[in-house]
Amino acid sequence: MATDLPIFKYHPNPLATGSIVQSPVACECCGEKTGYIYKASFYAIEEVNAICPWCIRSGKAAEMFKGSYSDDWPLQQAGLSEEIISEVTERTPGFESWQQEVWLTHCNDACAYLGDASKDDVGKLADGIGYIDDGQQWSSENYLELGKYYESKGSPALYKFQCLHCQKILFGIDAC
């Protein structure tokens, strides 16, 4: 197996986000010990604990286990094509969230997931760089208040996305 991880259009650095980790465990789909396994959500009837990035990229694991890495409903609601929805839900690593993840969209496409927002990202929100995509109106004061208490991987959680077309930064918000 190649040592370079496959490329995921909608999740460009799954090692940095923690969705894929180094591991000596064999993939339950292909049986290979690739050195990496997936660690985020996988929705399937049976419990699956070790999927390699190559079986994610090819769609083999989603097909074999009749599963998905993220919820397709927000993507359907955004009016995206079945091709894009399939790419995100069946061939792209998902991410850990408090509730069920919501993959953000912009410019009629799914966005690239960049990981948890940093405290610096929250400060930039107050300056008008990016926005939280939750259907609410956020003011600079709201962002400043959030920035006082925000911690990466805390609650509330902010998930950073970037539009692949206009490069706009968007954030999904979630809380336990």
Side-chain angles (χ1 to χ4, degrees):
M1 182 88 29
T3 56
D4 290 336
L5 289 175
I7 294 170
F8 298 101
K9 176 180 181 179
Y10 297 111
H11 196 150
N13 198 344
L15 278 175
T17 66
S19 292
I20 291 177
V21 297
Q22 290 186 323
S23 174
V25 175
C27 174
E28 293 176 40
C29 183
C30 68
E32 297 289 325
K33 290 183 178 182
T34 65
Y36 298 95
I37 59 166
Y38 175 65
K39 292 304 283 182
S41 301
F42 184 64
Y43 304 101
I45 293 173
E46 64 182 275
E47 176 121 0
V48 182
N49 296 305
I51 302 171
C52 76
W54 292 269
C55 287
I56 293 172
R57 182 71 213 126
S58 70
K60 185 177 174 184
E63 182 179 345
M64 176 183 269
F65 299 113
K66 295 177 179 38
S68 66
Y69 303 98
S70 56
D71 187 9
D72 63 355
W73 181 248
L75 303 170
Q76 290 173 355
Q77 289 300 108
L80 299 186
S81 72
E82 282 301 316
E83 182 180 312
I84 293 170
I85 294 170
S86 177
E87 177 80 14
V88 172
T89 62
E90 299 170 8
R91 295 185 303 281
T92 300
F95 60 94
E96 291 292 338
S97 61
W98 288 110
Q99 310 292 322
Q100 188 153 349
E101 75 294 316
V102 173
W103 206 284
L104 298 186
T105 65
H106 200 263
C107 292
N108 297 312
D109 198 358
C111 292
Y113 174 67
L114 303 179
D116 284 358
S118 67
K119 199 158 181 84
D120 187 50
D121 287 326
V122 178
K124 289 178 183 176
L125 284 167
D127 295 333
I129 300 171
Y131 67 94
I132 294 178
D133 186 4
D134 68 347
Q136 305 297 314
Q137 292 292 331
W138 285 74
S139 67
S140 292
E141 292 79 24
N142 294 138
Y143 288 131
L144 289 170
E145 187 67 19
L146 176 63
K148 288 180 188 176
Y149 307 103
Y150 179 77
E151 292 183 29
S152 182
K153 303 218 183 282
S155 181
L158 289 176
Y159 309 113
K160 186 175 183 178
F161 290 83
Q162 184 170 30
C163 178
L164 296 174
H165 304 280
C166 72
Q167 307 309 306
K168 187 165 191 73
I169 299 294
L170 303 88
F171 296 89
I173 190 166
D174 193 11
C176 63

